[in-house]
Amino acid sequence: MFRPKRNLALPVGFASAVLGFLVLTVRAQDKNPYTGDAQTAQKMAQLGEFQFRANCAFCHGLGARGGGRGPDLTRAKKKNGSADADLFRTINYGVPGTAMPPNGATQQGVGMTPEEIWQVITYIRSVEKKVSAEATGDAARGKTLFSASACGTCHMINGKGGRLGPDLTSAGSARSFEYLVDSVRNPNRRLAQGISEAMKEFSQEYETANVVTADGTKLQGVVLNEDSFTLQMMDSREQIHLFDKDKLKSFEKTRESLMPAYDAKTISDKDLQDIIAYLLSVSAPQ
Amino acid sequence: MNTQIKIPTTGLSLLALAAALAPSAIHAQVTPQRLLDSAKEPQNWLMYSGDYAGRRYSTLEQINTKNAATLSPKWAYQTMAGGKFEATPLVVDGILYATGQDDRAFALDARTGRPIWQYQRALPGDVRPCCGRVNRGFAILGDKVFLGTLDAHVVALDAKTGNVVWDVTTIDYRAGYSITLAPLAVKNLVLIGVSGGEYGIRGFVDAYDANTGERKWRFYTIPGPGEPGHDTWEGDSWKIGGSPAWITGSYDPVTNTTFWTTGNPSPSNRGEGRAGDNLYSNSLLALDIDTGKLKWYYQFSKHDEHDYDATQVPVMVDQGDKHLILQANRNGFFYVIDRSSGKLVSANPYAKVTWSDSKDSTGSPIARKDASPTPDGTHVCPGAAGATNWMSPTYDPQTSLFYVTAREQCDIFSTAPQPYEKGHAFYGSSYFPNDDAAPFWGALRAIDPATGKLKWEFKHPSPTWAGVLSTAGGLIFTGDAEGNFMALDAASGKVLWHFQCGASVYASPMSYAIDGKQYIAIAAGSALFTFALP
């Protein structure tokens, strides 16, 4: 049987141009064919869920709720477009400059068929939440709270802020609401991921290092990178230190994040919701 | 196979040895006898694992525990290719032969890394290389080198020019077959096995005439109707039951037996629809070298639902009158098997194991019922990549220890039923790391085969895909995911030297000598690096 593959589709730029001019011609990758009756949609969503687990869950998590690498897809608003055609494009072509690969580039040689991509999209639609934090939170108030709570001491947004913690410019769309809440309430449970090297399987995490140098100087900081023999660390004054482990008097690494845990007394649930609404508005502006 | 032939111990003697190689000896025919006697020419690395016993042990000792700290890079050869570079080079009489990503290949001056010829397979655009466009190396015999390809061909190249001498199709790659392993040359045969356990193939091991490429025998790793073991498959599931043989086998000339290991049944992590033990998936096979007939088998993981391929090079070791095979399996157990009978001698965990908590009457670990994947996911150790994987272990006859790269990584296994479709990825499931978990890590572990106990370990910050080489210099060489290549004291595990290659090591090291100088070679990133004493 002839199996259409992703190279049947046109290059991205050209495809966009075609979409712009030929709105009347609905092509295979523009409209979900499985939206007709509820029964078909349900069946296709089920098939799509299996495809999702096999192809997408590694990064986007079970239930599409977001994982360590990929955004929460249960959110109605997607960073790279929320319409059916946008989702098809994102899945089929990937997102250049991000970890999202084109269909078929996940080492399996052959990717999903257009039908299977539509099944995945149907599945994603079935798990989307209609109400997001963005809709319920006050982004403007969140912005003020972000500054007032001194988040910017360690976190950068759009080039402004501190360097010790992860840049939060795209955190809003890249992480689920629950993940972000957890990161603030309980930052030690799941450390943020840092540098990801091209051929390395696992990213470095924002671990904390306590170091005593040969001359007895005590330093604490975030591990920028590490191997068996060396350590690259940023201290709380944003100084970068480069160490050979065997020349240190002592070296101890902990998974106790330098990010303080903020309980509901310090930042109320409502305040946190507003801050996350702010992060969402920054990462996926209207 | 534990005859240990020491070569001259000093650099001076090595020089004498090199001088003995008159220019006319360059490119002498690699006869079957030379392959059998590989221990007699330690300056050469004549096959993937260095010898037929699969030990990846070099008797060279110019580089040793006393001087390893002064090791220096000698040359690098850049393939300029992306993806994983998993090959082990061969070296014969001063010429280094290796394959690389996308089925490229090259012959280099082993002193300088300067290319003599290069080869690039013209691959179709729709090959199915499950897990990377990799090639792990050549076999050599006569005046030819042999490689398997991602489009499931076996190709013989002229060792002097890289010209194609013959090219045979093993099977239609569009059904999901590929070849990634280095072939094994024995007698006048070129042995290969196939990859494709992720596509619902039916695995096999083939033997081809080295001169003509004519197929001499095929052993299907899944028995057909009427054959013993066929009833270990439900319905027609045997037709798409996977069980690929994707790592190079070993050979015992005393019993005329070649040992091969097999991978997971398909679909890989979903047992529904293939009730039964699913022979000969995840097994060690003893095949007659001349006929390909099965002498015995040992199945490590029955009815596997966690991708626990048995694909590690079978390592043959003799202890007194015991003739054994050692294997650190992906499922986390270190197995010792009697290689005359296939009977299990012992099975002990060498990494964290949660899939099994009991053994049957023979001592074989049994899977827990509740370790099966579920729709919501089951947390199981080791993860799908295994407690180790295809990267080679080594057996060092001087320490009598087995060294293996261990991966401490668990996964969540989730079912995702899907219909079989020819040539399409056929997992039936998915797995992914639990991001709540403590970070994954790895270790180089030295195991005493007599007891199964850990002698020492060297911890890696993250799980690695580098194999291990032992040498008569008392050294162990391995790499890590952080890009380091290192030498350790085989007795203690102490690191004596390390070098940063700039990208993760996805290969197993080897050693050779030329002009009286011992070299260590390793592929990392897109380059092949060599090291020697200054």
Side-chain angles (χ1 to χ4, degrees):
Chain A
M1 192 185 94
F2 173 70
R3 292 174 56 83
K5 284 184 289 291
R6 69 185 176 87
N7 59 4
L8 113 168
L10 298 160
V12 186
F14 184 55
S16 317
V18 169
L19 284 177
F21 292 111
L22 301 177
V23 282
L24 292 177
T25 316
V26 176
R27 302 181 323 142
Q29 59 249 70
D30 297 344
K31 191 173 175 345
N32 188 347
Y34 304 133
T35 51
D37 65 291
Q39 210 178 345
T40 307
Q42 195 181 358
K43 196 178 147 208
M44 292 302 152
Q46 166 101 74
L47 289 172
E49 181 176 11
F50 298 148
Q51 287 293 339
F52 186 91
R53 282 186 202 158
N55 295 291
C56 321
F58 189 83
C59 294
H60 293 284
L62 266 186
R65 290 184 295 270
R69 303 178 196 216
D72 175 3
L73 299 176
T74 64
R75 194 175 284 136
K77 201 168 128 190
K78 310 286 190 289
K79 186 172 172 58
N80 294 291
S82 311
D84 283 353
D86 295 328
L87 291 188
F88 191 98
R89 184 192 62 235
T90 300
I91 295 170
N92 205 27
Y93 296 107
V95 181
T98 74
M100 176 72 186
N103 179 32
T106 52
Q107 297 195 337
Q108 296 177 8
V110 282
M112 290 183 280
T113 61
E115 292 76 20
E116 288 166 340
I117 292 178
W118 285 122
Q119 289 165 8
V120 168
I121 293 170
T122 308
Y123 165 66
I124 291 172
R125 296 297 187 214
S126 76
V127 294
E128 271 175 357
K129 290 174 194 154
K130 302 308 167 202
V131 182
S132 67
E134 195 176 10
T136 54
D138 180 343
R141 186 167 172 272
K143 185 177 184 179
T144 311
L145 286 165
F146 188 87
S147 309
S149 310
C151 305
T153 308
C154 296
H155 295 286
M156 207 170 263
I157 287 181
N158 286 331
K160 292 199 181 69
R163 300 180 172 100
L164 201 58
D167 186 308
L168 299 181
T169 309
S170 59
S173 61
R175 298 285 177 262
S176 69
F177 180 79
E178 291 75 15
Y179 182 104
L180 294 171
V181 168
D182 204 36
S183 300
V184 174
R185 296 279 186 239
N186 187 8
N188 297 341
R189 196 173 77 81
R190 184 166 43 186
L191 297 179
Q193 291 185 341
I195 188 169
S196 202
E197 294 176 72
M199 294 291 289
K200 206 181 147 190
E201 250 178 304
F202 300 102
S203 305
Q204 180 64 45
E205 294 176 293
Y206 276 78
E207 296 168 303
T208 301
N210 291 296
V211 160
V212 182
T213 63
D215 64 7
T217 309
K218 286 183 185 171
L219 290 162
Q220 187 182 54
V222 166
V223 178
L224 300 178
N225 211 346
E226 186 201 5
D227 68 6
S228 283
F229 311 108
T230 71
L231 170 70
Q232 295 75 33
M233 183 185 103
M234 178 180 279
D235 71 18
S236 52
R237 293 174 302 118
E238 299 187 349
Q239 295 298 306
I240 293 179
H241 299 270
L242 313 174
F243 295 122
D244 289 327
K245 287 182 180 173
D246 61 0
K247 297 201 177 78
L248 293 172
K249 196 169 272 175
S250 79
F251 163 63
E252 180 205 32
K253 210 174 58 168
T254 77
R255 296 182 62 74
E256 200 163 308
S257 177
L258 283 178
M259 161 102 179
Y262 292 90
D263 61 15
K265 281 179 203 151
T266 329
I267 300 179
S268 73
D269 286 349
K270 172 71 176 84
D271 289 356
L272 188 50
Q273 196 166 7
D274 291 347
I275 289 172
I276 292 170
Y278 165 58
L279 293 180
L280 270 162
S281 71
V282 169
S283 64
Q286 291 292 345
Chain B
M1 288 301 289
N2 63 351
T3 44
Q4 186 191 327
I5 292 162
K6 291 229 172 185
I7 66 134
T9 56
T10 66
L12 208 68
S13 309
L14 263 169
L15 274 171
L17 189 143
L21 296 170
S24 61
I26 299 284
H27 262 297
Q29 293 266 326
V30 178
T31 59
Q33 193 60 41
R34 277 181 78 184
L35 295 179
L36 279 172
D37 296 337
S38 61
K40 288 181 184 164
E41 38 185 302
Q43 75 278 17
N44 291 329
W45 191 267
L46 294 173
M47 58 195 87
Y48 180 69
S49 301
D51 63 16
Y52 278 140
R55 292 183 305 181
R56 201 166 283 266
Y57 172 72
S58 168
T59 55
L60 297 174
E61 54 188 1
Q62 186 181 64
I63 302 166
N64 56 51
T65 50
K66 291 190 180 67
N67 58 26
T70 65
L71 273 168
S72 308
K74 282 296 149 191
W75 53 260
Y77 175 79
Q78 297 278 356
T79 68
M80 299 306 284
K84 294 176 281 187
F85 189 7
E86 298 189 353
T88 298
L90 305 183
V91 169
V92 185
D93 305 334
I95 307 215
L96 181 147
Y97 305 90
T99 61
Q101 306 93 322
D102 292 306
D103 296 339
R104 69 196 60 215
F106 44 89
L108 311 177
D109 177 340
R111 301 165 308 151
T112 63
R114 296 294 299 154
I116 295 163
W117 54 255
Q118 291 169 326
Y119 165 84
Q120 172 63 61
R121 172 97 181 143
L123 287 167
D126 58 347
V127 291
R128 274 85 165 163
C130 146
C131 310
R133 300 170 72 90
V134 305
N135 191 300
R136 300 197 186 84
F138 277 126
I140 190 164
L141 184 63
D143 54 4
K144 295 190 260 307
V145 287
F146 308 89
L147 77 154
T149 68
L150 293 173
D151 56 344
H153 284 233
V154 181
V155 179
L157 303 179
D158 181 335
K160 290 186 183 178
T161 62
N163 294 341
V164 174
V165 181
W166 54 255
D167 174 344
V168 297
T169 308
T170 62
I171 197 158
D172 184 1
Y173 72 90
R174 287 170 297 186
Y177 294 86
S178 59
I179 303 176
T180 55
L181 54 67
L184 180 72
V186 178
K187 296 186 174 178
N188 189 38
L189 298 173
V190 177
L191 275 64
I192 63 101
V194 284
S195 308
E198 287 68 33
Y199 299 88
I201 61 155
R202 183 187 178 204
F204 55 81
V205 179
D206 275 356
Y208 294 88
D209 183 300
N211 289 323
T212 63
E214 183 197 351
R215 196 168 92 206
K216 304 306 272 187
W217 54 257
R218 167 169 293 181
F219 176 79
Y220 276 106
T221 55
I222 301 177
E227 294 179 303
H230 182 70
D231 58 356
T232 63
W233 294 87
E234 179 182 350
D236 281 344
S237 62
W238 63 277
K239 290 179 179 170
I240 53 169
S243 315
W246 58 273
I247 204 72
T248 311
S250 307
Y251 172 58
D252 186 350
V254 176
T255 59
N256 210 34
T257 308
T258 186
F259 301 100
W260 286 74
T261 52
T262 60
N264 62 271
S266 292
S268 53
N269 306 328
R270 184 162 180 268
E272 210 178 301
R274 54 172 171 83
D277 284 353
N278 304 143
L279 292 173
Y280 302 102
S281 64
N282 299 345
S283 298
L284 172 63
L285 306 171
L287 305 175
D288 183 281
I289 191 74
D290 298 318
T291 63
K293 292 268 183 313
L294 181 70
K295 294 185 172 182
W296 54 255
Y297 71 92
Y298 176 79
Q299 189 177 33
F300 299 94
S301 306
K302 299 178 199 297
H303 188 71
D304 172 36
E305 294 180 303
H306 301 100
D307 208 352
Y308 291 153
D309 290 23
T311 41
Q312 270 228 320
V313 170
V315 180
M316 294 163 42
V317 170
D318 293 342
Q319 289 177 339
D321 59 351
K322 284 186 242 162
H323 306 289
L324 307 170
I325 281 184
L326 312 181
Q327 195 200 59
N329 193 280
R330 253 165 92 157
N331 71 18
F333 285 88
F334 173 73
Y335 293 82
V336 180
I337 289 160
D338 184 321
R339 78 169 181 272
S340 39
S341 65
K343 294 259 180 331
L344 178 68
V345 176
S346 64
N348 292 290
Y350 69 95
K352 186 175 180 186
V353 167
T354 65
W355 68 272
S356 170
D357 58 4
S358 62
K359 291 177 174 175
D360 67 14
S361 58
T362 70
S364 277
I366 306 170
R368 285 168 36 197
K369 288 270 184 293
D370 59 1
S372 290
T374 57
D376 290 332
T378 309
H379 187 263
V380 176
C381 312
T388 191
N389 206 294
W390 58 267
M391 48 283 196
S392 290
T394 183
Y395 177 77
D396 179 349
Q398 295 193 151
T399 59
S400 299
L401 295 175
F402 179 89
Y403 303 84
V404 65
T405 296
R407 299 169 53 90
E408 293 290 358
Q409 177 189 355
C410 308
D411 275 331
I412 295 171
F413 291 81
S414 160
T415 49
Q418 66 183 123
Y420 169 77
E421 218 177 318
K422 190 180 173 186
H424 200 271
F426 185 47
Y427 293 91
S429 63
S430 67
Y431 50 84
F432 33 90
N434 174 5
D435 65 0
D436 288 352
F440 304 124
W441 55 288
L444 171 64
R445 295 203 166 124
I447 300 169
D448 182 350
T451 61
K453 293 221 163 70
L454 183 70
K455 188 83 173 177
W456 56 255
E457 77 171 358
F458 173 79
K459 286 188 179 176
H460 297 301
S462 68
T464 157
W465 294 87
V468 196
L469 166 77
S470 58
T471 73
L475 297 172
I476 300 293
F477 289 89
T478 193
D480 67 25
E482 287 71 32
N484 289 297
F485 183 58
M486 61 192 92
L488 300 93
D489 184 324
S492 67
K494 184 176 179 250
V495 174
L496 302 174
W497 167 85
H498 55 90
F499 176 83
Q500 174 56 243
C501 298
S504 301
V505 181
Y506 283 86
S508 305
M510 54 78 79
S511 186
Y512 65 93
I514 184 166
D515 294 343
K517 198 179 247 316
Q518 183 188 356
Y519 293 78
I520 308 289
I522 186 72
S526 53
L528 180 69
F529 293 89
T530 60
F531 303 90
L533 297 177

